[in-house]
Amino acid sequence: MATARKFSDAVLKHLQTQHAESSFTATFVNGYWRSPRFSLRRQAELRKACVMHGVDPVSIGLPEPAPHKVMQKKPPKGHKQQREYQAKQEKIQKNMREMPAKIRDWKQVRLLALDTRFAAMHWSRQVMLTILFGD
């Protein structure tokens, strides 16, 4: 605590008496929930007053403070484009490696179709290839 605090007489009076557990927690009585006598803010104030006056908070009935939960470390989500970039680049590289075979297969299929189409014409195969593909 950065500065010394001055607590009210009512808070100091509560430090001298033993309180029931129901004073600090909500209880279920006759089908209804009863609010605690001391809100969480007042409990924090009582706990600070206990520390400053050398009184054990558990001795007056305050419950043990809840341990802090450990935060789960998750990687940042990022944008969809950034998350999928690596897989997309791998797919492009795979397709580029397969491209010469795909082009070769496409040319063979195209030549078969053209051979049947131009079979009646008297051009040589070399002339057709030059006209169509520039090879």
Side-chain angles (χ1 to χ4, degrees), residues 48-110:
K48 290 173 190 173
C50 285
V51 169
M52 287 191 67
H53 289 86
V55 177
D56 183 26
V58 179
S59 68
I60 65 165
L62 273 167
E64 290 285 334
H68 292 287
K69 294 182 181 178
V70 178
M71 287 184 59
Q72 293 181 348
K73 304 275 180 164
K74 293 189 335 185
K77 183 177 176 184
H79 294 282
K80 183 178 179 185
Q81 167 186 338
Q82 293 169 337
R83 292 191 311 260
E84 297 177 355
Y85 180 79
Q86 187 66 31
K88 184 176 180 180
Q89 291 302 314
E90 290 170 4
K91 182 178 176 183
I92 289 171
Q93 292 301 319
K94 178 182 155 262
N95 287 340
M96 290 303 289
R97 283 191 302 271
E98 296 172 358
M99 192 55 64
K102 286 182 181 181
I103 292 172
R104 192 177 333 108
D105 293 344
W106 179 82
K107 282 185 178 182
Q108 288 175 355
V109 169
R110 182 80 174 134

Side-chain angles (χ1 to χ4, degrees), residues 5-17 19 38 42 45-46 49 53:
R5 295 187 54 172
K6 184 174 180 182
F7 294 99
S8 67
D9 292 334
V11 171
L12 296 177
K13 186 177 90 174
H14 288 300
L15 293 182
Q16 299 166 358
T17 58
H19 298 283
F38 297 101
R42 297 280 183 217
E45 190 176 53
L46 278 172
H53 289 86

